[in-house]
């Protein structure tokens, strides 16, 4: 069940500003027209505590919490 191979670009970052900036830049470089960027975070408050993520995720987004 959990042994599925990831067949799409995926960036995983630690919860610090430099890592998040690198992950966001990497994602943006790999996106093509029509792609959707999905942001997963353990806590919704992580989005508010990092300005880069706060700007990236629109207010109308639906949040999926782990």
């Amino acid at each position: 069940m959990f042994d599925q191979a990831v067949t799409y670009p995926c960036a995983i970052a630690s919860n610090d500003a430099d890592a998040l900036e690198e992950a966001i830049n990497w994602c943006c470089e790999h996106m093509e027209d029509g792609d959707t960027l999905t942001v997963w975070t353990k806590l919704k408050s992580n989005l508010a505590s990092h300005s880069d993520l706060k700007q990236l995720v629109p207010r109308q987004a639906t949040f999926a919490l782990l």
Side-chain angles (χ1 to χ4, degrees):
M1 177 174 165
F2 295 106
D3 293 334
Q4 297 177 350
V6 175
T7 60
Y8 47 85
C10 179
I12 301 172
S14 60
N15 196 20
D16 66 77
D18 291 337
L20 289 173
E21 182 180 354
E22 286 294 322
I24 291 168
N25 289 339
W26 187 90
C27 287
C28 291
E29 290 171 5
H30 286 82
M31 290 184 72
E32 297 178 5
D33 289 341
D35 283 352
T36 301
L37 179 62
T38 302
V39 175
W40 289 84
T41 182
K42 189 169 184 173
L43 300 171
K44 186 176 178 179
S45 61
N46 290 341
L47 297 174
S49 63
H50 293 284
S51 61
D52 290 336
L53 282 179
K54 193 174 183 180
Q55 293 173 8
L56 181 67
V57 178
R59 292 181 187 195
Q60 300 83 6
T62 301
F63 297 101
L65 301 177
L66 300 174

